[in-house]
Amino acid sequence: MVPGRCGWVGTMVLALVCAACGPSPAPVVVLVSWDTTRADALGCYADVAHWGLDLRAARHPSPRTPRVDALAASGVRHQWAIAHAPTTLASHASMMSGRDTRGARVPRNGFPIEPDVPLLAPRFAAAGWQSVAVVGASVLSRDMGLSRGFLVYDDHLTQKVRRRYERSADDVVDRTLAIVDRRSLVDHWTPLFLFVHFFDAHSPWDSSPAELRSTMVDPSYAGAVDGSSDSVDWLVKATRAGRVGSDDRIRARALYLAEVASMDAALGRLLDGLEQRFAMEDALVVVVGDHGEALDLPASRPYGHGFDVDLVASHVPFVASGSGRFAVPAGVVVDRPVGLMDVAPTIAAMAGLPVDPSASGLDLQPVWRGDADAAAILEERVLLAEATKPTQAEAAPDWNNRYKERGAFGRRLLVTESPWEDRTPPSAFELAPGQPEASDASRSSVERLEGALRTWDAGAPDYRDPEMTSETKAALRGLGYLD
Ligand SMILES: [Zn+2]
């Protein structure tokens, strides 16, 4: 135990003395991932919307995320943060390892992160921090490898939703605060890394409180879309068949935004609860999305994610705010693209952890401070993303995602190589008025990104066998079965 500011260790004495001089705040780093959250589902990203709906403005439900918007205003917001994969486990492997999906060797859900991939929590543990994770869905259950290094990894999920288990952001927050209140588990005078995962924005969209939802949906709607799994199934079929109506699309979007609003309210409860417990005078809070959600676009693969790496799938929120040793400049908006692989190197550097020289991501702090050289590096860098579906595209011995849609992001341009006929690369992803259309992109810029994709493919890892992971093989070998 690290003694408080008073210098006393004994519990009774500490309580008496600290009542007079105040608690000694332990450093706290909080990483909150919002599953299935498009950047434009947040109020602070409203200027980069990809909704693609040509609907009357008066009927548009708007994002309602005051807590994360306030975090962005008090800190840094990355205007163009890119997920390297459009499904949960692969994206979190990037976020926690400082590598893209190929560097982390996680092609999709169900492939555990292998033990030799460096992750953030073990690095915190090695530096004497305690780490706690509370996850919202079974795709991140402990046997998927993300639990390595955590003192507590809470994946106690009780609500069955088809093939997975999940719980609401409110439940995740209740559980998180209950864990940090268990002094036998969490020592409030030792630095704490907290990873919190909200899953509500993933369909079905039925976990937002009724009173919140009622303020975001049109009460006159009389259609079939109620946010349930069955109604999302209906939306997929009706959209593919061209039978979905504008009212249904609006309804689905409103229900989705209500789930995001609900996660924002839960974030507020989490931060308020941590403030009461840790003072948060020496704290860093990072909020990211793990990938987006198609909703009604593209119409051939609607209401889901995994098949595409277009902007609705890849453009995610990334906001950071801090205090004390983690202070970040306020009100900074970084418009050069960054990747989720930059999350771990940035957090690690801010916490003073030893550098992971094998990581591909960057410590973004120099960019936040306006360092021109660091900004130039981001300007030149190409970020890469790959779809994780369909599994039928996988062809051993090549890397599992080699023949799925892949994308390269660089200098405001997204180039995709895609098996889908309705994809027409390249596309400009700077949507501010006055920016160049995709057709204006110079051939050399497109070729640069195409070259990056070729290099990425040439260096791809080996195929991972979904039937027998390397861990399983190692375990079986250890038992003498595979020799
Ligand atoms: Zn996800």
Side-chain angles (χ1 to χ4, degrees), residues 106-185:
V106 175
R108 54 183 165 87
N109 291 336
F111 288 75
I113 303 168
E114 294 181 282
D116 62 330
V117 177
L119 297 174
L120 204 44
R123 297 168 65 199
F124 269 117
W129 288 56
Q130 52 191 350
S131 296
V132 169
V134 182
V135 300
S138 52
V139 280
L140 295 185
S141 63
R142 66 183 61 234
D143 50 353
M144 290 297 110
L146 206 64
S147 57
R148 181 160 31 101
F150 282 99
L151 181 70
V152 179
Y153 192 89
D154 188 295
D155 58 353
H156 183 66
L157 301 149
T158 52
Q159 186 185 352
K160 184 119 186 347
V161 180
R162 297 199 166 166
R163 288 182 298 168
R164 65 169 182 270
Y165 288 86
E166 58 183 66
R167 58 183 163 190
S168 70
D170 261 337
D171 288 347
V172 168
V173 170
D174 288 344
R175 189 71 187 160
T176 304
L177 296 177
I179 289 169
V180 300
D181 282 341
R182 286 182 64 183
R183 301 303 179 95
S184 59
L185 289 176

Side-chain angles (χ1 to χ4, degrees), residues 86-87 108 304-308 387-391 393 401 404-405 420:
T87 47
R108 54 183 165 87
H305 44 270
F307 296 99
D308 301 281
T388 57
K389 300 174 183 172
T391 53
N401 297 338
K404 302 172 188 174
E405 179 162 300
W420 311 116

